[in-house]
């Protein structure tokens, strides 16, 4: 595991108090990664689940855990909202009046258009919301699945509202995510939603549909599955409620990506139906070329 | 790594000579796994690629390597044809007259209907072909990727022709694959082709189409990919020629499976378009339930 690295953290000063709202896999990983890199002097976790609060304190990652939002954020220099996408805007509104002057707020949700606007509008003078989305996760849930290197080498979208989100706040919040090992990608909230609809939400939907179709077949078929089916459907094992929310928030872009995928499948179906083996091989070659261009993640 | 285990090999007697035709990932893994389990006294590899022959001999897995088919199979008690699906029938025909009495021949190709019939018909009196397909592989190629535990805990289809393939030969060849750690699943060649069209060929096609569609998008999108897209598209990195052949040999069943998948995607698209979040969540739940029922592989 990575320990404190002065170079990696040079973009982000050590702060007094970090508050994490929601200590699931992502929130607890942010906490754990920040602690390993000594980015704060004191940490507070807010969670409505007592077992999550207990876990974060007993593991030594959090100094305090509470189910009182005002208490959680009152002294925070940086608040990370790591709750499901449909709750981030609401939480930003609820914490707004308790934030101290200069406080920064960021999040980690998979959709940005709605959240960036609502949370920005909720902030009082001198407090700043900078929307973020680290491309890291797992089909596992809860703080016990947290990893201190979860964000290492991963992309992290930072999605300021053009001309409205404070530049210094954007730089500071970017520095925070960068300190956790992420590669910062700054795009508009709407561009973000289009990109992740394709590279994250569509793969999810494709995996779920594959699993759902095969669920109707005899059990023996599933028991014969090799590594291909296992990998291809892994993310179908993720939390359905969480993903319903993501698809709800990014419906239009997901529909667009899904239709483009259906077009591609239809082209492959047509090539097979026509016994156009030259075209089939060209499609296979294009898929491999794409796959080979993936950058390595440490 | 598993070493020789008397219990695991009790179904298959030690033979004098094992011949492997084609020393790619699968052929070399069969060789390596058989050697680790001491299933033969002598092994011969046939391959048209000099570098593969050299690799198998210098690694100590093969006693002899040759590009002469007659020489390769002449003394073999068991021949494993581990070449691409479109060449197995032809190789079975070419080796037939060189096989000694009592010789057994099996294969490892991903399609079975055509191969099982052609190879069965090619065998002279007293020599037996028993078609097989271990559900193991990788997007990697060549003997250097071979693993001695590749078949451990994996399903291996054995697909005799009903009333035609010799029962003793079926038992012996099943015993061989079982000795490599595989779970034997005996089905007809046509049932096999229907099953793998769904659990192997369709996931491949789904991954390739996803990769192919995303290949048209900006490079930045790919560089932001998280674990979901990586896993979902991993198998798109496989050898396009090999897969063109598999799709060619199993075209009808793959088309059927692909159309069922398209139906499923269309149902999901419709639910999103209608904002039917109850249905979206039901589809997500079904996908997760399927994924959770996968048996563990050691």
């Amino acid at each position: 595991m990575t320990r404190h690295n002065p170079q990696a953290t040079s973009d982000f000063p050590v702060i007094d108090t970090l508050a994490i709202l929601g200590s699931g896999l992502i929130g607890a990983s942010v906490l754990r990664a920040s602690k390993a890199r000594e980015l704060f002097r004191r940490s507070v976790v807010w969670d409505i689940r007592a077992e999550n609060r207990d876990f974060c304190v007993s593991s030594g990652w959090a100094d305090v855990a509470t189910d009182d939002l005002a208490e959680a954020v009152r002294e925070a220099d940086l608040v990370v909202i790591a709750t499901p996408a449909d709750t981030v805007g609401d939480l930003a509104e609820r914490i707004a009046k308790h934030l101290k002057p200069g406080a920064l707020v960021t999040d980690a949700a998979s959709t940005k258009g709605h959240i960036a606007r609502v949370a920005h509008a909720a902030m009082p003078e001198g407090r700043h919301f900078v929307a973020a989305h680290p491309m890291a996760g797992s089909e596992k849930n809860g703080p016990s699945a947290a990893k201190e290197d979860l964000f290492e080498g991963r992309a992290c979208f930072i999605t300021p509202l053009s001309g409205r989100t404070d530049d210094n706040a954007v730089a500071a919040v970017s520095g925070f995510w960068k300190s956790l090992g992420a590669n910062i990608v700054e795009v508009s909230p709407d561009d973000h939603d289009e990109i992740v609809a394709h590279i994250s939400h569509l793969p999810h939907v494709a995996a779920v549909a594959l699993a759902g179709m095969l669920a109707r077949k005899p059990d023996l078929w599933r028991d014969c599955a090799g590594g291909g089916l296992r990998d291809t459907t892994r993310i179908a094992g993720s939390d359905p409620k969480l993903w319903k929310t993501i698809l709800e928030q990014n419906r239009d872009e997901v529909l667009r990506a899904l239709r483009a995928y259906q077009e591609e499948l239809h082209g492959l179906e047509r090539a097979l139906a026509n016994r156009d083996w030259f075209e089939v091989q060209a499609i296979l070659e294009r898929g491999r070329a794409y796959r080979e261009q993936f950058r390595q993640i440490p």
Side-chain angles (χ1 to χ4, degrees), chain A residues 218-230:
Chain A
D219 288 352
L220 171 71
W221 294 25
R222 184 194 59 227
D223 292 340
C224 293
L229 183 61
R230 282 166 197 271

Side-chain angles (χ1 to χ4, degrees), chain A residues 2 8 37 136 148-154 179-183 297-298:
Chain A
T2 317
R37 290 163 184 78
E148 73 176 55
D149 62 353
L150 191 68
F151 310 104
E152 203 78 65
R154 299 304 183 127
S179 295
L180 303 188
N183 303 325
I297 283 187

Side-chain angles (χ1 to χ4, degrees), chain A residues 20-265:
Chain A
I20 305 281
L21 311 189
S23 56
L25 169 71
I26 300 294
S29 292
V30 169
L31 177 63
R32 199 178 166 185
S34 309
K35 186 166 178 75
R37 290 163 184 78
E38 297 170 18
L39 298 183
F40 59 79
R41 296 200 181 83
R42 180 173 166 274
S43 64
V44 187
V45 157
W46 172 87
D47 203 303
I48 51 171
R49 289 155 296 193
E51 69 271 26
N52 283 11
R53 293 196 301 272
D54 292 346
F55 189 95
C56 290
V57 171
S58 63
S59 61
W61 304 338
D63 297 297
V64 179
T66 173
D67 60 355
D68 180 329
L69 267 184
E71 185 193 337
V73 306
R74 195 171 289 125
E75 293 177 50
D77 302 285
L78 175 66
V79 178
V80 180
I81 307 179
T83 57
D86 60 338
T87 64
V88 176
D90 180 52
L91 276 175
E93 287 173 345
R94 287 166 61 197
I95 62 172
K97 66 172 179 286
H98 305 291
L99 294 169
K100 70 180 188 184
L104 298 173
V105 183
T106 185
D107 75 321
S110 301
T111 56
K112 296 272 77 87
H114 176 75
I115 287 171
R117 288 176 183 88
V118 169
H120 174 82
M123 291 295 114
E125 184 68 29
R127 286 80 169 167
H128 304 284
F129 181 84
V130 182
H133 175 207
M135 291 297 291
S138 159
E139 74 282 13
K140 299 192 186 108
N141 301 312
S144 60
K147 292 165 68 178
E148 73 176 55
D149 62 353
L150 191 68
F151 310 104
E152 203 78 65
R154 299 304 183 127
C156 179
F157 290 101
I158 298 288
T159 64
L161 293 169
S162 178
R164 292 161 67 198
T165 308
D166 180 81
D167 287 343
N168 292 331
V170 171
V173 168
S174 298
F176 173 73
W177 287 105
K178 197 176 162 194
S179 295
L180 303 188
N183 303 325
I184 304 304
V185 179
E186 194 177 312
V187 292
S188 74
D190 292 342
D191 284 351
H192 166 276
D193 288 354
E194 183 192 3
I195 297 172
V196 298
H198 286 82
I199 64 167
S200 170
H201 307 169
L202 173 62
H204 198 92
V205 157
V208 163
L210 186 57
M213 193 271 267
L214 294 177
R216 298 204 194 91
K217 304 295 180 182
D219 288 352
L220 171 71
W221 294 25
R222 184 194 59 227
D223 292 340
C224 293
L229 183 61
R230 282 166 197 271
D231 284 0
T232 314
T233 58
R234 181 184 63 82
I235 49 176
S238 308
D239 183 0
K241 266 193 207 150
L242 200 70
W243 274 92
K244 190 207 75 172
T245 297
I246 292 170
L247 298 179
E248 213 169 340
Q249 292 229 336
N250 206 21
R251 168 186 173 273
D252 297 356
E253 290 299 339
V254 172
L255 267 176
R256 233 190 300 274
L258 178 53
R259 284 168 183 154
Y261 180 51
Q262 288 172 300
E263 274 298 304
E264 188 82 21
L265 283 170

